[in-house]
Amino acid sequence: MKRALIVTGGGDCPGLNAVIRAIVKRAAQEKDWEILGSIQAFNGVLWEPSELKVLTPDVVKGIHFQGGTIIETTNKGGPFAWPVKNKDGSYSAVDRSDEMIRKIQYMGIDAVISIGGDGSQRISQALYEKGLNIIGVPKTIDNDLSTTDSTFGFQTAVEIATEAVDKLVTTAASHNRVFVLEVMGRYAGWIGLNAAVAGGAEVCLIPEFPYDINIVKAKLEARFTRGRGFAVVVVSEGASLQGAGLSVEENDEVGYENLRLGGAGSALIKQLKAAGFEPDMRETVLGHLQRGGVPIAYDRVLSAQFGVKAFEMAMEGDFGKMVAYRHPKFISVPLIEAIAEPNLVTLDNALVKTATGLGISLGIDLPKE
Ligand code: F6P
């Protein structure tokens, strides 16, 4: 009997369960494979006693349209930075990766399939370099992983953000207001840009292009005549004013290593007021609503394709690789390539041209072609 272990790491993402189900269903067609899930990323292996769940077709029945992950996840700690409490109450990060790899091998696990974003795939690569048979599946609503055309969960997040723009347009128009919608995406503006185009926002501010407040103000003022008018601004959580830093929130959770972004929308409203912009403004922060709930059909299909391919890679022993979607194919790419560069919006991206072609301001002067 061969064994594959699934881990879901980092922030949850619509489609995780659909990937898990696809792996299990594909594996069930082979008589000699057992699929296990580690609870809460690699914690399930590292805990004493360990917490693994046997994933049979029965266990994964009907989960493809459930949000979240049935094997839980975490974006804290991990095998290379396991938090250990010191006598004085502080925490130190301990590298438990060697011990974990030994444990996984002792458990008779032939392949690990790690479903996660850039942080998780960095861990996958480091574990692979230490000898673990590991395969990555690209997961993130941010769509910031390169080497794949798309990550699952992203289109669902865009759908939710677009719905929010649609709703804000009607209330903005009724009240002659400017609505600022803050969306997720970390350092990538894909969710913001797609939602702005799909929802018909007037301004879209993304992390890749720090904005000039006077350009934003001029665009919004042009939407008002004698105090009447409205506009919707989509602002990515990682967007910032030219020369200013990111908007961040404090976070004292043990082992949380990311910068917690937040406040870009309210910062923008303050900057517009300070610049003399007069119409009423309101802010909506969409937050984790973009990550919860059912995946849209596109993401379920993508997840199924990733899951089936990942299991086939496990059977073939194609380790140290990540599944990637390169239309119309599903291929495997070295993890090291997948984590080398993030996938960010560039000025020459077709969607940037579409957005500006629609008259959406990105808050910057665009270079003349
Ligand atoms: O990477 C996914 C993401 O949702 C980002 O868009 C966001 O910045 C971050 O995770 C939020 O993380 P947390 O769930 O830890 O607050």
Side-chain angles (χ1 to χ4, degrees), residues 5 42 44-48 78-80 95-112 122-134:
L5 178 73
F42 284 107
V45 177
L46 289 161
W47 285 328
E48 289 297 345
F80 291 94
D95 182 352
R96 294 185 61 195
S97 57
D98 290 327
E99 170 199 343
M100 188 185 82
I101 291 172
R102 276 197 304 277
K103 217 171 160 186
I104 288 175
Q105 287 163 349
Y106 178 75
M107 287 165 169
I109 287 163
D110 301 280
V112 175
R122 263 173 236 292
I123 293 176
S124 301
Q125 172 62 22
L127 292 170
Y128 175 66
E129 283 169 17
K130 290 189 157 208
L132 190 70
N133 291 342
I134 194 161

Side-chain angles (χ1 to χ4, degrees), residues 3-338:
R3 288 203 175 101
L5 178 73
I6 305 178
V7 281
T8 53
D12 70 342
C13 179
L16 277 167
N17 283 327
V19 180
I20 296 171
R21 173 177 172 270
I23 295 169
V24 172
K25 282 184 81 77
R26 177 64 188 83
Q29 293 175 21
E30 308 299 319
K31 296 285 163 261
D32 52 346
W33 278 85
E34 181 181 50
I35 308 295
L36 304 166
S38 170
I39 302 300
Q40 247 184 56
F42 284 107
N43 291 354
V45 177
L46 289 161
W47 285 328
E48 289 297 345
S50 49
E51 261 197 62
L52 305 187
K53 186 173 177 152
V54 179
L55 300 170
T56 60
D58 223 33
V59 171
V60 301
K61 205 183 272 172
I63 63 167
H64 52 295
F65 53 85
Q66 264 175 39
T69 157
I70 59 162
I71 51 174
E72 303 176 27
T73 186
T74 179
N75 52 11
K76 293 187 269 185
F80 291 94
W82 183 260
V84 173
K85 199 169 190 175
N86 301 314
K87 281 198 181 113
D88 63 0
S90 64
Y91 282 85
S92 300
V94 173
D95 182 352
R96 294 185 61 195
S97 57
D98 290 327
E99 170 199 343
M100 188 185 82
I101 291 172
R102 276 197 304 277
K103 217 171 160 186
I104 288 175
Q105 287 163 349
Y106 178 75
M107 287 165 169
I109 287 163
D110 301 280
V112 175
I113 300 176
S114 170
I115 313 172
D118 60 338
S120 304
Q121 301 313 345
R122 263 173 236 292
I123 293 176
S124 301
Q125 172 62 22
L127 292 170
Y128 175 66
E129 283 169 17
K130 290 189 157 208
L132 190 70
N133 291 342
I134 194 161
I135 288 159
V137 178
K139 164 243 67 163
T140 167
I141 63 162
D142 305 336
N143 199 34
D144 59 353
L145 268 165
S146 53
T147 72
T148 180
D149 288 355
S150 186
T151 55
F152 72 86
F154 165 64
Q155 290 294 350
T156 302
V158 169
E159 195 68 32
I160 294 164
T162 302
E163 244 177 68
V165 177
D166 293 349
K167 288 178 176 157
L168 293 178
V169 165
T170 59
T171 175
S174 307
H175 280 271
N176 293 278
R177 282 173 171 162
V178 168
F179 262 88
V180 173
L181 175 68
E182 183 181 309
V183 298
M184 282 186 166
R186 292 199 75 71
Y187 309 118
W190 297 113
I191 298 177
L193 192 57
N194 278 270
V197 169
E202 281 66 41
V203 177
C204 176
L205 306 176
I206 61 174
E208 292 87 340
F209 312 144
Y211 56 87
D212 177 333
I213 197 67
N214 292 316
I215 294 178
V216 178
K217 178 175 171 256
K219 172 74 187 180
L220 294 176
E221 278 174 347
R223 295 273 308 164
F224 285 80
T225 311
R226 293 191 304 278
R228 293 183 63 202
F230 72 95
V232 173
V233 178
V234 175
V235 56
S236 298
E237 59 182 357
S240 60
L241 180 69
Q242 285 173 8
L246 291 166
S247 299
V248 291
E249 282 174 4
E250 277 191 17
N251 191 312
D252 55 7
E253 292 163 4
V254 175
Y256 193 86
E257 282 168 354
N258 296 329
L259 205 52
R260 183 149 175 234
L261 301 178
S266 58
L268 175 68
I269 289 179
K270 283 194 198 109
Q271 292 151 6
L272 281 166
K273 279 190 183 149
F277 184 71
E278 289 178 351
D280 295 343
M281 291 180 275
R282 293 288 189 275
E283 180 211 357
T284 299
V285 181
L286 210 44
H288 292 79
L289 289 175
Q290 290 156 103
R291 275 189 6 205
V294 296
I296 60 168
Y298 179 92
D299 280 330
R300 293 184 207 180
V301 173
L302 188 58
S303 300
Q305 289 172 297
F306 278 154
V308 168
K309 174 76 182 169
F311 179 73
E312 288 174 354
M313 285 164 64
M315 280 199 303
E316 287 156 16
D318 195 11
F319 301 122
K321 306 270 185 68
M322 186 185 84
V323 190
Y325 174 40
R326 297 265 182 85
H327 184 76
K329 294 197 168 123
F330 283 80
I331 59 166
S332 69
V333 295
L335 277 163
I336 193 97
E337 277 175 32

